[in-house]
């Protein structure tokens, strides 16, 4: 519903080195992170990580994401044409459901 991959990428570039001690590039982010849940990401990059640390890092990473969104509100908007498309579906009586992989706090 929004194009926020660039925002997530920017946050991962800042966040991941603090956890792993090494930088991460766009190709790695696109291949191993974008579209995957934080639990998968953290357990893949930090073998043996505790559930508590996964929750802590998830909260911190998503807080950084939200802060980044607030810094650049012009980037944080619905995709052009989405509202009209959803209105058309509703008008035609086409059932719809909106699902997200986003964290609940987002």
């Amino acid at each position: 519903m929004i194009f926020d991959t660039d925002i997530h990428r920017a946050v991962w570039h800042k966040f991941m080195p603090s956890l792993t001690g090494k930088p991460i590039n766009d190709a790695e982010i696109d291949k191993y992170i974008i579209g995957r849940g934080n639990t998968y990401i953290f357990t893949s990059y930090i073998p043996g990580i505790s559930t508590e640390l996964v929750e802590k890092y998830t909260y911190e990473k998503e807080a950084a994401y939200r802060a980044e969104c607030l810094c650049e509100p012009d980037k944080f908007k619905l995709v052009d044409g989405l509202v009209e498309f959803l209105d058309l579906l509703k008008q035609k009586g086409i059932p719809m459901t909106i699902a997200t992989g986003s964290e609940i706090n987002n």
Side-chain angles (χ1 to χ4, degrees), residues 39-101:
T39 299
Y40 173 86
I41 295 164
F42 291 125
T43 57
S44 295
Y45 275 87
I46 309 168
I49 188 172
S50 70
T51 301
E52 293 79 17
L53 275 179
V54 168
E55 290 173 7
K56 177 183 183 291
Y57 293 156
T58 294
Y59 179 83
E60 291 173 2
K61 186 272 174 185
E62 296 307 326
Y65 164 80
R66 291 188 298 276
E68 191 74 22
C69 289
L70 293 173
C71 287
E72 299 187 60
D74 293 342
K75 287 186 175 182
F76 194 70
K77 62 180 184 172
L78 295 175
V79 171
D80 291 339
L82 177 64
V83 172
E84 295 81 6
F85 177 70
L86 295 175
D87 285 345
L88 178 65
L89 293 177
K90 183 177 179 181
Q91 177 186 33
K92 295 192 176 276
I94 298 172
M96 65 181 124
T97 300
I98 298 172
T100 181

